[in-house]
């Protein structure tokens, strides 16, 4: 089911009973065919499910009509030639038709935009996990920005998790002090977007963690999502609030170019020059209010300690963020895709249908309410 009022290509993952993959080849399974309601084959692959006993995770991309549904059928078939892969994946690299992603020893990444013919980031790379000094109170009274770097996550280890015809996935683990950071980077065939699934175990105090994205553009202009709109701010390093996405665009070779970063859990950002940073966690004392001074021997409850997870989507784009469809992408990225598993049985509904659509590209339907007025 597509919960949006525009036609969308949805990334679908669903755990189901399916024979385990051949030993030594975890991205393959028993020969299968995935078809839409017209019998058209759909590219797909299998990965490890949440449960490791008798289940596999089916992965595919589904084109579904606006606020509607579409039926797909999975069946066993005879083994045939391996499908041509548009994804090339190794422990230190992901590549498709549009992007080439490489991983550095500190866990940061480089992205070569093959369509633009240039690197997206300036040195020292994107998604660098920067640790900053943060001795302020719970509300950071009197603090306008966080700029004093005291370290960074490093000593990265890499593991290739998926190398299928549809998607590649690389896991990067890095550490700082007593904290650990695990990022799964996912790249689909034919996509200009790079997804990150992040698992952080934060154990630092009086420090802050930001992810840095030094976008290689001149005259940088940061745009923040606000409620049902956007706001353009100055790139002077201040800590500013935003909602699901931030975009940093500017000029490259005289043309507009930029990067939008979407996420599902973080709402603090800063941009100094061309360095876009997302605020991830702090390590302040709970309910500490300036000017009260902390007792060096005191026992306190520290904020943001322990494990947490969140997701990000990196969207490099030529032209303005509006042309890249960032608003629609944010809606799709943050809305779970409803999947209803059915065994084969008769039915009276069409196999594909739409209940509601909007033809204005700048309109998003965010709520439907049943009328209580009886006519």
């Amino acid at each position: 089911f597509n919960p949006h009022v525009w036609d969308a290509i949805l990334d679908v993952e669903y755990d189901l009973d399916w024979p385990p993959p051949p030993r030594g080849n975890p991205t393959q399974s028993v020969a299968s065919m995935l078809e839409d309601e017209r019998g058209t084959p759909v590219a797909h692959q299998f990965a490890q499910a949440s449960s490791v006993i008798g289940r596999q995770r089916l992965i595919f991309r589904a084109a579904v009509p606006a606020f509607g549904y579409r039926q797909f059928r999975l069946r066993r078939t005879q083994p045939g030639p391996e499908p041509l892969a548009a994804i090339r994946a190794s422990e230190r690299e992901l590549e498709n038709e549009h992007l080439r992603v490489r991983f550095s020893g500190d866990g940061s990444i480089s992205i070569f935009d093959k369509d633009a013919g240039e690197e997206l980031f300036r040195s020292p790379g994107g998604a660098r996990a920067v640790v900053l000094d943060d001795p302020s109170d719970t509300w950071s009274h009197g603090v306008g920005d966080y700029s004093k770097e005291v370290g960074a996550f490093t000593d990265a280890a890499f593991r290739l998790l998926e190398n299928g015809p549809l998607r590649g996935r690389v896991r990067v683990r890095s550490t700082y002090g007593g904290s650990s950071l695990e990022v799964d980077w996912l790249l689909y065939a034919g996509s200009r977007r790079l997804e990150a699934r992040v698992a952080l175990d934060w154990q630092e105090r009086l420090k802050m963690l930001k992810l840095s994205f030094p976008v290689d553009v001149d005259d940088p202009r940061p745009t923040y999502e606000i409620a049902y709109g956007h706001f353009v701010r100055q790139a002077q390093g201040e800590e500013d609030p935003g909602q699901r996405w931030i975009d940093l665009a500017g000029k490259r070779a005289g043309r507009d170019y930029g990067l939008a970063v979407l996420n599902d859990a973080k709402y603090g950002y800063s941009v100094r020059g061309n360095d876009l940073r997302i605020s991830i966690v702090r390590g302040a004392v709970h309910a500490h209010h300036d000017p009260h001074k902390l007792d060096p021997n005191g026992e306190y409850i520290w904020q943001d300690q322990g494990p947490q997870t969140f997701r990000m989507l990196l969207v490099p784009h030529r032209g303005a963020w509006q042309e890249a469809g960032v608003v629609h992408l944010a809606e799709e990225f943050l809305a779970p895709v409803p999947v209803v598993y059915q065994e084969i049985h008769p039915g009276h509904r069409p196999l594909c249908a739409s209940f509601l659509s909007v033809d204005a590209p700048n309109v998003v339907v965010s709520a439907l309410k049943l009328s209580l007025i009886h006519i």
Side-chain angles (χ1 to χ4, degrees), residues 228-250:
Y228 299 101
H230 66 276
F231 193 84
V232 180
R233 292 189 169 99
Q234 299 297 312
Q236 296 177 347
E238 293 92 346
E239 188 73 10
D240 285 313
Q243 295 197 341
R244 300 169 300 178
W245 58 266
I246 181 173
D247 181 81
L248 185 62

PDB file of all heavy atoms in Angstrom, residues 228-250:
ATOM      1  N   TYR A 228       5.477  22.376   7.332  1.00  0.00           N
ATOM      2  CA  TYR A 228       4.798  22.651   6.063  1.00  0.00           C
ATOM      3  C   TYR A 228       5.480  23.762   5.266  1.00  0.00           C
ATOM      4  O   TYR A 228       4.828  24.545   4.590  1.00  0.00           O
ATOM      5  CB  TYR A 228       3.321  22.983   6.312  1.00  0.00           C
ATOM      6  CG  TYR A 228       2.587  21.845   6.963  1.00  0.00           C
ATOM      7  CD1 TYR A 228       2.323  21.864   8.328  1.00  0.00           C
ATOM      8  CD2 TYR A 228       2.197  20.735   6.226  1.00  0.00           C
ATOM      9  CE1 TYR A 228       1.674  20.803   8.943  1.00  0.00           C
ATOM     10  CE2 TYR A 228       1.551  19.670   6.826  1.00  0.00           C
ATOM     11  CZ  TYR A 228       1.291  19.705   8.187  1.00  0.00           C
ATOM     12  OH  TYR A 228       0.666  18.651   8.795  1.00  0.00           O
ATOM     13  N   GLY A 229       6.796  23.804   5.335  1.00  0.00           N
ATOM     14  CA  GLY A 229       7.504  24.817   4.575  1.00  0.00           C
ATOM     15  C   GLY A 229       9.002  24.672   4.723  1.00  0.00           C
ATOM     16  O   GLY A 229       9.508  23.618   5.116  1.00  0.00           O
ATOM     17  N   HIS A 230       9.736  25.745   4.412  1.00  0.00           N
ATOM     18  CA  HIS A 230      11.186  25.725   4.529  1.00  0.00           C
ATOM     19  C   HIS A 230      11.675  27.114   4.902  1.00  0.00           C
ATOM     20  O   HIS A 230      10.951  28.106   4.775  1.00  0.00           O
ATOM     21  CB  HIS A 230      11.834  25.263   3.221  1.00  0.00           C
ATOM     22  CG  HIS A 230      11.626  26.207   2.068  1.00  0.00           C
ATOM     23  ND1 HIS A 230      10.482  26.198   1.286  1.00  0.00           N
ATOM     24  CD2 HIS A 230      12.399  27.211   1.570  1.00  0.00           C
ATOM     25  CE1 HIS A 230      10.566  27.135   0.367  1.00  0.00           C
ATOM     26  NE2 HIS A 230      11.708  27.763   0.514  1.00  0.00           N
ATOM     27  N   PHE A 231      12.926  27.184   5.393  1.00  0.00           N
ATOM     28  CA  PHE A 231      13.500  28.443   5.837  1.00  0.00           C
ATOM     29  C   PHE A 231      14.975  28.460   5.448  1.00  0.00           C
ATOM     30  O   PHE A 231      15.706  27.508   5.728  1.00  0.00           O
ATOM     31  CB  PHE A 231      13.350  28.583   7.357  1.00  0.00           C
ATOM     32  CG  PHE A 231      13.625  29.961   7.872  1.00  0.00           C
ATOM     33  CD1 PHE A 231      12.642  30.931   7.871  1.00  0.00           C
ATOM     34  CD2 PHE A 231      14.885  30.299   8.353  1.00  0.00           C
ATOM     35  CE1 PHE A 231      12.892  32.212   8.346  1.00  0.00           C
ATOM     36  CE2 PHE A 231      15.147  31.576   8.832  1.00  0.00           C
ATOM     37  CZ  PHE A 231      14.144  32.533   8.823  1.00  0.00           C
ATOM     38  N   VAL A 232      15.402  29.542   4.794  1.00  0.00           N
ATOM     39  CA  VAL A 232      16.801  29.701   4.387  1.00  0.00           C
ATOM     40  C   VAL A 232      17.535  30.489   5.467  1.00  0.00           C
ATOM     41  O   VAL A 232      17.092  31.574   5.873  1.00  0.00           O
ATOM     42  CB  VAL A 232      16.907  30.411   3.031  1.00  0.00           C
ATOM     43  CG1 VAL A 232      18.375  30.574   2.635  1.00  0.00           C
ATOM     44  CG2 VAL A 232      16.160  29.631   1.954  1.00  0.00           C
ATOM     45  N   ARG A 233      18.675  29.943   5.942  1.00  0.00           N
ATOM     46  CA  ARG A 233      19.453  30.597   6.989  1.00  0.00           C
ATOM     47  C   ARG A 233      20.860  30.918   6.473  1.00  0.00           C
ATOM     48  O   ARG A 233      21.236  30.557   5.359  1.00  0.00           O
ATOM     49  CB  ARG A 233      19.529  29.711   8.230  1.00  0.00           C
ATOM     50  CG  ARG A 233      18.185  29.530   8.948  1.00  0.00           C
ATOM     51  CD  ARG A 233      18.379  28.825  10.287  1.00  0.00           C
ATOM     52  NE  ARG A 233      17.166  28.882  11.101  1.00  0.00           N
ATOM     53  CZ  ARG A 233      16.285  27.906  11.199  1.00  0.00           C
ATOM     54  NH1 ARG A 233      16.474  26.782  10.529  1.00  0.00           N
ATOM     55  NH2 ARG A 233      15.208  28.037  11.968  1.00  0.00           N
ATOM     56  N   GLN A 234      21.632  31.563   7.321  1.00  0.00           N
ATOM     57  CA  GLN A 234      23.018  31.888   7.001  1.00  0.00           C
ATOM     58  C   GLN A 234      23.927  30.712   7.347  1.00  0.00           C
ATOM     59  O   GLN A 234      23.665  29.977   8.299  1.00  0.00           O
ATOM     60  CB  GLN A 234      23.467  33.139   7.773  1.00  0.00           C
ATOM     61  CG  GLN A 234      22.669  34.388   7.466  1.00  0.00           C
ATOM     62  CD  GLN A 234      22.811  34.814   6.021  1.00  0.00           C
ATOM     63  OE1 GLN A 234      23.929  34.890   5.494  1.00  0.00           O
ATOM     64  NE2 GLN A 234      21.689  35.090   5.359  1.00  0.00           N
ATOM     65  N   ALA A 235      25.015  30.581   6.596  1.00  0.00           N
ATOM     66  CA  ALA A 235      25.971  29.493   6.831  1.00  0.00           C
ATOM     67  C   ALA A 235      27.090  29.989   7.735  1.00  0.00           C
ATOM     68  O   ALA A 235      28.264  30.017   7.353  1.00  0.00           O
ATOM     69  CB  ALA A 235      26.514  28.987   5.504  1.00  0.00           C
ATOM     70  N   GLN A 236      26.734  30.347   8.981  1.00  0.00           N
ATOM     71  CA  GLN A 236      27.700  30.946   9.904  1.00  0.00           C
ATOM     72  C   GLN A 236      27.971  30.087  11.128  1.00  0.00           C
ATOM     73  O   GLN A 236      28.584  30.532  12.079  1.00  0.00           O
ATOM     74  CB  GLN A 236      27.197  32.332  10.325  1.00  0.00           C
ATOM     75  CG  GLN A 236      27.107  33.299   9.156  1.00  0.00           C
ATOM     76  CD  GLN A 236      26.544  34.655   9.534  1.00  0.00           C
ATOM     77  OE1 GLN A 236      25.985  34.828  10.619  1.00  0.00           O
ATOM     78  NE2 GLN A 236      26.691  35.625   8.640  1.00  0.00           N
ATOM     79  N   GLY A 237      27.499  28.846  11.129  1.00  0.00           N
ATOM     80  CA  GLY A 237      27.863  27.901  12.176  1.00  0.00           C
ATOM     81  C   GLY A 237      26.942  27.813  13.360  1.00  0.00           C
ATOM     82  O   GLY A 237      27.173  27.004  14.262  1.00  0.00           O
ATOM     83  N   GLU A 238      25.885  28.661  13.413  1.00  0.00           N
ATOM     84  CA  GLU A 238      24.994  28.609  14.566  1.00  0.00           C
ATOM     85  C   GLU A 238      24.228  27.292  14.626  1.00  0.00           C
ATOM     86  O   GLU A 238      23.926  26.681  13.608  1.00  0.00           O
ATOM     87  CB  GLU A 238      23.983  29.764  14.520  1.00  0.00           C
ATOM     88  CG  GLU A 238      24.588  31.135  14.690  1.00  0.00           C
ATOM     89  CD  GLU A 238      24.937  31.771  13.373  1.00  0.00           C
ATOM     90  OE1 GLU A 238      24.963  31.042  12.353  1.00  0.00           O
ATOM     91  OE2 GLU A 238      25.198  32.988  13.344  1.00  0.00           O
ATOM     92  N   GLU A 239      23.921  26.886  15.858  1.00  0.00           N
ATOM     93  CA  GLU A 239      23.066  25.714  16.060  1.00  0.00           C
ATOM     94  C   GLU A 239      21.621  26.133  15.833  1.00  0.00           C
ATOM     95  O   GLU A 239      21.107  27.052  16.483  1.00  0.00           O
ATOM     96  CB  GLU A 239      23.238  25.175  17.481  1.00  0.00           C
ATOM     97  CG  GLU A 239      22.535  23.859  17.739  1.00  0.00           C
ATOM     98  CD  GLU A 239      23.228  22.688  17.073  1.00  0.00           C
ATOM     99  OE1 GLU A 239      24.366  22.853  16.571  1.00  0.00           O
ATOM    100  OE2 GLU A 239      22.628  21.603  17.049  1.00  0.00           O
ATOM    101  N   ASP A 240      20.952  25.488  14.866  1.00  0.00           N
ATOM    102  CA  ASP A 240      19.596  25.866  14.491  1.00  0.00           C
ATOM    103  C   ASP A 240      18.702  24.632  14.445  1.00  0.00           C
ATOM    104  O   ASP A 240      19.163  23.530  14.132  1.00  0.00           O
ATOM    105  CB  ASP A 240      19.574  26.539  13.111  1.00  0.00           C
ATOM    106  CG  ASP A 240      20.094  27.965  13.160  1.00  0.00           C
ATOM    107  OD1 ASP A 240      19.656  28.712  14.060  1.00  0.00           O
ATOM    108  OD2 ASP A 240      20.938  28.324  12.313  1.00  0.00           O
ATOM    109  N   PRO A 241      17.411  24.832  14.720  1.00  0.00           N
ATOM    110  CA  PRO A 241      16.473  23.715  14.630  1.00  0.00           C
ATOM    111  C   PRO A 241      16.014  23.495  13.196  1.00  0.00           C
ATOM    112  O   PRO A 241      15.985  24.404  12.381  1.00  0.00           O
ATOM    113  CB  PRO A 241      15.307  24.171  15.514  1.00  0.00           C
ATOM    114  CG  PRO A 241      15.319  25.664  15.367  1.00  0.00           C
ATOM    115  CD  PRO A 241      16.757  26.055  15.233  1.00  0.00           C
ATOM    116  N   GLY A 242      15.645  22.280  12.914  1.00  0.00           N
ATOM    117  CA  GLY A 242      15.042  21.923  11.634  1.00  0.00           C
ATOM    118  C   GLY A 242      14.250  20.652  11.820  1.00  0.00           C
ATOM    119  O   GLY A 242      14.328  20.014  12.872  1.00  0.00           O
ATOM    120  N   GLN A 243      13.515  20.305  10.796  1.00  0.00           N
ATOM    121  CA  GLN A 243      12.730  19.079  10.907  1.00  0.00           C
ATOM    122  C   GLN A 243      13.386  17.940  10.135  1.00  0.00           C
ATOM    123  O   GLN A 243      14.547  17.650  10.357  1.00  0.00           O
ATOM    124  CB  GLN A 243      11.280  19.358  10.509  1.00  0.00           C
ATOM    125  CG  GLN A 243      10.622  20.323  11.483  1.00  0.00           C
ATOM    126  CD  GLN A 243       9.107  20.328  11.410  1.00  0.00           C
ATOM    127  OE1 GLN A 243       8.493  19.899  10.438  1.00  0.00           O
ATOM    128  NE2 GLN A 243       8.481  20.831  12.457  1.00  0.00           N
ATOM    129  N   ARG A 244      12.701  17.339   9.191  1.00  0.00           N
ATOM    130  CA  ARG A 244      13.175  16.064   8.653  1.00  0.00           C
ATOM    131  C   ARG A 244      14.321  16.185   7.669  1.00  0.00           C
ATOM    132  O   ARG A 244      14.980  15.179   7.378  1.00  0.00           O
ATOM    133  CB  ARG A 244      12.005  15.341   7.990  1.00  0.00           C
ATOM    134  CG  ARG A 244      10.855  15.049   8.926  1.00  0.00           C
ATOM    135  CD  ARG A 244       9.637  14.583   8.163  1.00  0.00           C
ATOM    136  NE  ARG A 244       9.186  15.605   7.218  1.00  0.00           N
ATOM    137  CZ  ARG A 244       8.163  15.458   6.388  1.00  0.00           C
ATOM    138  NH1 ARG A 244       7.492  14.324   6.386  1.00  0.00           N
ATOM    139  NH2 ARG A 244       7.819  16.431   5.571  1.00  0.00           N
ATOM    140  N   TRP A 245      14.583  17.362   7.137  1.00  0.00           N
ATOM    141  CA  TRP A 245      15.660  17.477   6.155  1.00  0.00           C
ATOM    142  C   TRP A 245      16.316  18.841   6.207  1.00  0.00           C
ATOM    143  O   TRP A 245      15.748  19.827   6.663  1.00  0.00           O
ATOM    144  CB  TRP A 245      15.162  17.179   4.741  1.00  0.00           C
ATOM    145  CG  TRP A 245      14.040  18.050   4.234  1.00  0.00           C
ATOM    146  CD1 TRP A 245      12.707  17.788   4.299  1.00  0.00           C
ATOM    147  CD2 TRP A 245      14.153  19.326   3.571  1.00  0.00           C
ATOM    148  NE1 TRP A 245      11.978  18.805   3.729  1.00  0.00           N
ATOM    149  CE2 TRP A 245      12.842  19.762   3.267  1.00  0.00           C
ATOM    150  CE3 TRP A 245      15.225  20.130   3.208  1.00  0.00           C
ATOM    151  CZ2 TRP A 245      12.585  20.970   2.622  1.00  0.00           C
ATOM    152  CZ3 TRP A 245      14.971  21.340   2.556  1.00  0.00           C
ATOM    153  CH2 TRP A 245      13.672  21.747   2.273  1.00  0.00           C
ATOM    154  N   ILE A 246      17.557  18.842   5.729  1.00  0.00           N
ATOM    155  CA  ILE A 246      18.312  20.065   5.520  1.00  0.00           C
ATOM    156  C   ILE A 246      18.996  19.932   4.171  1.00  0.00           C
ATOM    157  O   ILE A 246      19.407  18.830   3.765  1.00  0.00           O
ATOM    158  CB  ILE A 246      19.336  20.309   6.646  1.00  0.00           C
ATOM    159  CG1 ILE A 246      20.095  21.614   6.405  1.00  0.00           C
ATOM    160  CG2 ILE A 246      20.287  19.131   6.798  1.00  0.00           C
ATOM    161  CD1 ILE A 246      21.004  22.012   7.560  1.00  0.00           C
ATOM    162  N   ASP A 247      19.098  21.040   3.462  1.00  0.00           N
ATOM    163  CA  ASP A 247      19.736  21.047   2.146  1.00  0.00           C
ATOM    164  C   ASP A 247      20.819  22.112   2.126  1.00  0.00           C
ATOM    165  O   ASP A 247      20.622  23.220   2.647  1.00  0.00           O
ATOM    166  CB  ASP A 247      18.710  21.332   1.047  1.00  0.00           C
ATOM    167  CG  ASP A 247      19.336  21.319  -0.339  1.00  0.00           C
ATOM    168  OD1 ASP A 247      19.524  20.215  -0.881  1.00  0.00           O
ATOM    169  OD2 ASP A 247      19.660  22.401  -0.867  1.00  0.00           O
ATOM    170  N   LEU A 248      21.975  21.772   1.568  1.00  0.00           N
ATOM    171  CA  LEU A 248      23.036  22.754   1.361  1.00  0.00           C
ATOM    172  C   LEU A 248      23.356  22.790  -0.119  1.00  0.00           C
ATOM    173  O   LEU A 248      23.855  21.817  -0.688  1.00  0.00           O
ATOM    174  CB  LEU A 248      24.283  22.398   2.169  1.00  0.00           C
ATOM    175  CG  LEU A 248      25.407  23.439   2.091  1.00  0.00           C
ATOM    176  CD1 LEU A 248      24.935  24.773   2.654  1.00  0.00           C
ATOM    177  CD2 LEU A 248      26.655  22.964   2.816  1.00  0.00           C
ATOM    178  N   ALA A 249      23.035  23.904  -0.749  1.00  0.00           N
ATOM    179  CA  ALA A 249      23.229  24.057  -2.192  1.00  0.00           C
ATOM    180  C   ALA A 249      24.088  25.284  -2.459  1.00  0.00           C
ATOM    181  O   ALA A 249      24.186  26.196  -1.637  1.00  0.00           O
ATOM    182  CB  ALA A 249      21.882  24.175  -2.907  1.00  0.00           C
ATOM    183  N   GLY A 250      24.699  25.309  -3.617  1.00  0.00           N
ATOM    184  CA  GLY A 250      25.533  26.427  -4.024  1.00  0.00           C
ATOM    185  C   GLY A 250      25.887  26.302  -5.478  1.00  0.00           C
ATOM    186  O   GLY A 250      25.160  25.666  -6.258  1.00  0.00           O
TER     187      GLY A 250
END
